[in-house]
């Protein structure tokens, strides 16, 4: 959602309610560290003795997979998250990015729904019902191929669009291209 404290609500609620849990986080996208594969596995245990046993099992599992993982990305994340000012700046930037992507979801949907092409005959609500950097467009493989071949718009063959690439400068072009391909199917 772009709001770190709000996004963490469920995890905090489970812990406050006494649940023992394991959760995995990836920092690769948020911090722009795609090649680093930076993340964390956090496990909440019943007591220090159980935590010691879980850590031992995790080390046994991890050791054969990699001996010394790269540290550069992890150090960058640590530097930001250990500094209150940098953390606040990071959270604000994530929120701004999420707000922009959500605004583009709304604009793409409304443009598709208000248009005069074949797109008007479909329900586009799923575009705004989804969250995150990607959206499943609902386009069939043949429509995705036509989008690529006729309009130079690229997405995965299952219709997944990178919403980060939809901007106020291209959203109308994208909607018009979608109209074109859906009106011919």
């Amino acid at each position: 959602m772009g709001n770190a404290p709000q996004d963490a609500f469920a995890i905090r609620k489970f812990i406050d309610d006494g649940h023992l849990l394991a959760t995995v986080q990836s920092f690769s996208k948020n911090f722009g560290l795609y090649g680093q594969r930076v993340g964390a596995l956090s496990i909440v245990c019943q007591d220090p003795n159980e935590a010691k046993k879980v850590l031992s099992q995790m080390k046994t599992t991890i050791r054969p997979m990699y001996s010394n993982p790269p540290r550069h990305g992890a150090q960058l994340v640590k530097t930001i998250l250990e500094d209150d000012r940098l953390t606040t700046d990071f959270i604000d930037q994530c929120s701004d990015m999420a707000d922009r992507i959500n605004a583009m979801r709304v604009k793409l949907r409304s443009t598709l729904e208000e248009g005069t092409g074949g797109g008007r005959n479909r329900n586009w609500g799923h575009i705004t019902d989804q969250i995150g950097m990607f959206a499943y467009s609902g386009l069939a493989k043949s429509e995705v191929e036509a989008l690529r071949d006729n309009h130079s718009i690229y997405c995965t063959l299952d219709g997944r669009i990178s919403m980060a690439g939809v901007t106020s400068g291209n959203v109308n072009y994208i909607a018009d291209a979608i109209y074109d391909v859906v009106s011919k199917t």
Side-chain angles (χ1 to χ4, degrees):
M1 290 186 226
N3 180 323
Q6 185 178 348
D7 291 346
F9 171 79
I11 294 170
R12 290 185 177 133
K13 175 74 172 145
F14 286 140
I15 292 169
D16 289 345
D17 288 349
H19 295 280
L20 305 178
L21 59 94
T23 184
V24 178
Q25 295 170 272
S26 170
F27 298 112
S28 297
K29 285 183 190 171
N30 319 50
F31 284 88
L33 299 169
Y34 294 94
Q36 299 298 316
R37 296 297 178 224
V38 178
L41 168 62
S42 302
I43 301 174
V44 177
C45 298
Q46 191 166 350
D47 55 46
N49 186 45
E50 182 181 50
K52 185 177 176 181
K53 292 175 183 177
V54 169
L55 180 60
S56 173
Q57 289 301 305
M58 293 305 303
K59 286 179 179 179
T60 300
T61 302
I62 292 168
R63 184 69 180 179
M65 288 189 254
Y66 57 85
S67 181
N68 293 304
R71 295 181 57 179
H72 339 303
Q75 284 301 118
L76 288 169
V77 171
K78 180 180 176 191
T79 298
I80 292 169
L81 296 181
E82 285 184 342
D83 182 289
D84 290 340
R85 185 186 59 79
L86 293 176
T87 298
T88 298
D89 189 38
F90 168 72
I91 289 170
D92 290 345
Q93 288 180 26
C94 284
S95 180
D96 291 346
M97 179 181 59
D99 290 347
R100 188 198 72 76
I101 289 172
N102 289 335
M104 289 300 96
R105 285 179 182 281
V106 170
K107 177 67 174 163
L108 180 60
R109 177 185 175 178
S110 65
T111 304
L112 288 166
E113 290 175 345
E114 295 166 4
T116 57
R120 191 175 219 178
N121 299 328
R122 291 193 184 186
N123 178 352
W124 299 103
H126 57 277
I127 293 173
T128 53
D129 291 343
Q130 300 171 52
I131 61 170
M133 292 177 55
F134 299 96
Y136 284 97
S137 63
L139 298 177
K141 181 180 177 184
S142 61
E143 294 168 330
V144 169
E145 290 170 337
L147 205 57
R148 178 194 64 210
D149 296 343
N150 301 331
H151 301 282
S152 300
I153 296 174
Y154 296 85
C155 58
T156 59
L157 291 176
D158 62 0
R160 188 176 76 144
I161 296 173
S162 170
M163 290 305 300
V166 179
T167 69
S168 57
N170 68 15
V171 68
N172 290 330
Y173 176 79
I174 293 169
D176 289 345
I178 291 172
Y179 286 150
D180 181 57
V181 300
V182 300
S183 65
K184 294 177 180 173
T185 57

